[in-house]
């Protein structure tokens, strides 16, 4: 096992990883920016190193500062969490070249899956169904027009290097293609340093269903059921649950084995997620693979009764998976609400500031992953996630009842949060009955419905 793990992240996920290390008896090193000196991950880790000023590219996004911190403290492994350097193949390479284990898959797989068109090609080879679209990058406007014509409108234009819901454009008619194509290229060049585009058929009102997999370095792969992530705003997830109301045991098995086959086919190890779009007829299509632990991993941890972060660490240390597919049972229901410091009535505008009152809910079936405490100053430099509230029960109804109660018990003052949004959302009749897809929040104006 590792002697010491450095956590190259901040916020709730840094705490989550420290907790896993503590349970495994591994000392930890936190790194932090000057804006995060008073952060909980700094006080909960065994050691802490300040790696630079507040802006991420001078701290959490600077590989050299992080590797130096690992070398100074004698850490022999780095856990990248999610975001920041988690899907940066060059960083994974740098770790390896410095003799430090990167807790994640190989740099090569990160590189392959980070290129969305290459990822699709590899998944096709592995026998995974993908959304019909261009084979690889669209080289020119003329070629793009021809491909769009062949697939049929509506289509979605995606940046090869895009991510986080950015770099996508839906085109419904031929006459809109040219302008959208050029604007999308310019945007992608600005945002990701890469203007390359590819085209996909736009699936109307699909569900976003993702499969969690675990794979070790010895060729063992298991799938751990699905997460329903269709509740999105601007392609960003707000609430996730496991299992999905739209998936029956037969489909779960089918999607799970396809995901495991895909992971194996691309040479994956560590925890990973294969994202699919699911249409009304139970057709599912590969969208992308996330080569890291995800924000919404706790819902799977609860229903599959596994600690995914500890598994990641064990896998990185070279251990074999100690669970086999036949031992995995999905039991109960878990829902996660992302509590963001945002003013949902003002278009979810970030609302950093000082948390004056912070009272956490509790009782049966509640888990909270949060780095916030009373009097904590939320810095304006990073993402606005301040807590993940997870409720679970024997079934969806019980999980929802507990979530309702927990949202009522959760008091945060000083900053606006998405708690009121989640209260409206989880009591909306269509949400309660499970009639929703990725377009739900575009069609339903929860703000209007409540006034
Ligand atoms: P990112 O890497 O930026 O998160 P994804 O490829 O995972 O991008 O897509 C994010 C979201 O965009 C999906 O959850 C889905 O809601 C929507 N989306 C992506 N591709 C399609 C498609 N071909 N048809 C319909 N919706 C799509």
């Amino acid at each position: 096992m590792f002697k010491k793990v450095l956590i190259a992240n901040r916020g709730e996920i840094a705490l989550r990883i420290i907790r896993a290390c503590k349970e495994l008896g591994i000392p930890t090193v936190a790194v932090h920016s000057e804006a995060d000196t008073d952060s909980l991950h700094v006080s909960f880790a065994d050691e802490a190193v300040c790696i630079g000023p507040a802006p991420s590219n001078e701290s959490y996004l600077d590989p050299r500062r992080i590797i130096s911190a690992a070398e100074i403290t004698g850490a022999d492994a780095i856990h990248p969490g999610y975001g920041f350097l988690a899907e940066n193949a060059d960083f994974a390479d740098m770790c390896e070249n410095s003799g430090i284990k990167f807790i994640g898959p190989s740099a090569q797989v990160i590189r392959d899956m980070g290129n969305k068109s290459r990822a699709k090609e590899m998944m096709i080879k592995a026998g995974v169904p993908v959304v019909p679209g261009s084979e690889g990058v669209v080289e020119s406007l003329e070629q793009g027009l021809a491909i769009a014509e062949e697939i049929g409108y509506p289509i979605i234009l995606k940046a090869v290097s895009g991510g986080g819901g950015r770099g996508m454009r839906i085109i419904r008619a031929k006459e809109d293609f040219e302008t959208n194509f050029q604007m999308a290229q310019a945007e992608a060049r600005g945002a990701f340093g890469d203007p390359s585009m590819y085209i996909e058929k736009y699936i109307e009102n699909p569900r976003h269903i993702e499969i969690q997999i675990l794979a070790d370095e010895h060729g063992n792969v298991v799938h751990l059921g699905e997460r329903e992530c269709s509740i999105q705003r601007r392609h960003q997830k707000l609430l996730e649950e496991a299992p999905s109301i739209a998936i029956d045991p037969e489909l779960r098995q089918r999607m799970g084995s396809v995901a495991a086959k895909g992971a194996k086919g691309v040479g994956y190890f560590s925890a990973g997620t294969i994202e699919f779009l699911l249409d009304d007829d139970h057709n599912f299509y590969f969208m992308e693979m996330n080569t890291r632990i995800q924000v919404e991993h706790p819902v799977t941890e609860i229903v599959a009764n596994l600690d995914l972060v500890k598994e990641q660490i064990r896998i990185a240390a070279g251990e074999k998976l100690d669970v086999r597919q036949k031992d995995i049972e999905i039991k109960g229901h878990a829902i996660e609400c992302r509590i963001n410091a945002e003013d949902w009535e003002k278009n979810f505008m970030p609302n950093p500031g000082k948390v004056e009152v912070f009272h956490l809910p509790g009782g049966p079936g509640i888990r909270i992953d949060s780095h916030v405490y009373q009097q904590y100053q939320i810095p304006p430099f990073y993402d606005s996630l301040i807590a993940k509230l997870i409720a679970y029960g024997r079934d969806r109804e019980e999980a929802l009842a507990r979530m309702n109660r927990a949202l009522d018990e959760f008091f945060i003052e000083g900053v606006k949060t998405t708690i009121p949004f989640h209260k409206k959302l989880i009591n909306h009749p269509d949400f309660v009955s499970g009639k929703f897809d990725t377009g739900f929040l575009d069609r339903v104006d929860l703000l209007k419905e409540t006034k």
Side-chain angles (χ1 to χ4, degrees):
M1 203 16 100
F2 302 116
K3 289 198 302 286
K4 206 186 261 186
V5 170
L6 180 140
I7 295 112
N9 217 301
R10 64 179 301 282
E12 68 84 20
I13 194 63
L15 271 187
R16 170 73 191 86
I17 299 161
I18 293 170
R19 286 175 172 145
C21 290
K22 285 208 166 143
E23 290 178 25
L24 291 169
I26 311 169
T28 50
V29 182
V31 293
H32 65 94
S33 70
E34 283 163 8
D36 275 340
T37 309
D38 297 327
S39 260
L40 272 194
H41 77 283
V42 175
S43 36
F44 281 13
D46 297 296
E47 288 169 72
V49 181
C50 180
I51 49 166
S56 305
N57 35 10
E58 293 172 59
S59 50
Y60 300 106
L61 278 174
D62 184 346
R64 287 165 310 162
R65 292 175 195 242
I66 288 168
I67 304 266
S68 306
E71 283 174 342
I72 291 163
T73 52
D76 52 350
I78 294 183
H79 196 306
Y82 54 68
F84 296 127
L85 296 170
E87 286 171 296
N88 183 318
D90 294 340
F91 177 63
D93 271 334
M94 276 175 80
C95 289
E96 199 187 336
N97 296 337
S98 312
I100 298 164
K101 183 76 188 185
F102 177 82
I103 302 178
S106 69
Q108 188 54 48
V109 168
I110 300 176
R111 200 164 276 127
D112 289 339
M113 296 300 108
N115 179 311
K116 290 185 171 195
S117 61
R118 170 142 182 78
K120 278 182 80 174
E121 281 169 37
M122 290 178 74
M123 286 295 168
I124 294 171
K125 272 207 192 103
V128 177
V130 306
V131 189
S134 57
E135 280 167 36
V137 175
V138 178
E139 304 290 351
S140 64
L141 175 66
E142 292 68 39
Q143 192 198 10
L145 273 165
I147 293 167
E149 200 63 37
E150 198 186 307
I151 313 171
Y153 290 92
I155 58 108
I156 184 166
L157 209 51
K158 292 188 172 184
V160 168
S161 304
R166 292 160 65 222
M168 285 181 285
R169 258 158 197 267
I170 299 156
I171 307 179
R172 297 200 171 267
K174 190 177 169 187
E175 35 305 354
D176 302 332
F177 193 90
E178 185 170 348
T179 15
N180 273 292
F181 186 69
Q182 277 152 359
M183 278 161 76
Q185 279 185 319
E187 268 168 26
R189 187 182 285 114
F192 315 110
D194 175 9
S196 322
M197 289 285 147
Y198 68 104
I199 294 175
E200 268 178 10
K201 172 90 193 151
Y202 181 68
I203 314 280
E204 298 279 2
N205 303 327
R207 284 180 185 256
H208 174 124
I209 304 287
E210 56 187 37
I211 307 286
Q212 177 72 52
I213 62 106
L214 272 181
D216 65 21
E217 296 181 7
H218 311 277
N220 304 300
V221 186
V222 294
H223 51 94
L224 304 174
E226 78 281 5
R227 287 186 290 262
E228 160 74 72
C229 308
S230 301
I231 299 295
Q232 307 179 344
R233 183 184 160 269
R234 302 213 178 123
H235 307 302
Q236 306 256 22
K237 300 163 186 167
L238 290 169
L239 173 149
E240 302 93 348
E241 56 183 314
S244 165
I245 203 162
I247 308 256
D248 58 29
E250 183 272 327
L251 183 57
R252 176 168 307 120
Q253 176 52 39
R254 209 146 45 87
M255 291 183 81
S257 38
V258 164
K261 202 163 70 174
K264 213 168 175 150
V266 303
Y268 197 85
F269 53 79
S270 189
T273 300
I274 306 214
E275 296 188 336
F276 293 103
L277 290 176
L278 176 72
D279 71 17
D280 278 342
D281 303 323
H282 276 192
N283 299 307
F284 58 91
Y285 309 96
F286 168 81
M287 213 175 4
E288 65 166 345
M289 177 160 198
N290 292 318
T291 57
R292 53 169 156 83
I293 193 77
Q294 287 191 257
V295 175
E296 60 272 25
H297 75 276
V299 294
T300 300
E301 292 191 318
I302 290 165
V303 298
N305 194 24
L306 266 171
D307 185 318
L308 290 171
V309 180
K310 283 201 284 200
E311 293 297 333
Q312 275 189 305
I313 297 170
R314 287 201 192 100
I315 291 167
E319 290 183 16
K320 279 191 182 150
L321 284 184
D322 58 6
V323 283
R324 270 168 299 180
Q325 195 61 55
K326 67 173 176 46
D327 306 325
I328 290 159
E329 197 189 342
I330 304 299
K331 243 179 123 175
H333 198 99
I335 305 173
E336 171 184 279
C337 289
R338 298 192 189 195
I339 313 297
N340 296 336
E342 291 170 358
D343 185 351
W344 81 289
E345 298 193 12
K346 293 207 179 104
N347 219 3
F348 292 82
M349 190 164 70
N351 193 235
K354 191 170 184 183
V355 178
E356 300 289 354
V357 173
F358 193 68
H359 175 80
L360 289 175
I366 299 298
R367 165 175 166 179
I368 290 155
D369 283 18
S370 172
H371 59 294
V372 173
Y373 53 88
Q374 196 137 316
Q375 302 298 310
Y376 173 71
Q377 183 81 37
I378 301 166
F381 310 101
Y382 315 110
D383 72 10
S384 52
L385 181 69
I386 55 171
K388 302 192 303 205
L389 171 58
I390 303 122
Y392 50 96
R394 280 166 304 182
D395 50 28
R396 191 169 188 262
E397 198 183 342
E398 188 174 52
L400 273 176
R402 285 175 168 165
M403 184 60 90
N404 253 311
R405 157 182 83 66
L407 287 167
D408 284 339
E409 289 174 15
F410 207 160
F411 289 106
I412 302 178
E413 279 169 29
V415 296
K416 292 245 162 76
T417 76
T418 48
I419 291 174
F421 161 81
H422 283 293
K423 278 191 206 169
K424 300 294 176 206
L425 169 65
I426 68 165
N427 291 297
H428 190 283
D430 290 346
F431 178 79
V432 174
S433 65
K435 273 192 248 116
F436 57 86
D437 53 61
T438 59
F440 178 76
L441 290 180
D442 294 330
R443 290 191 301 271
V444 178
D445 188 347
L446 290 173
L447 202 55
K448 251 201 204 126
E449 294 207 355
T450 61
K451 280 193 171 156

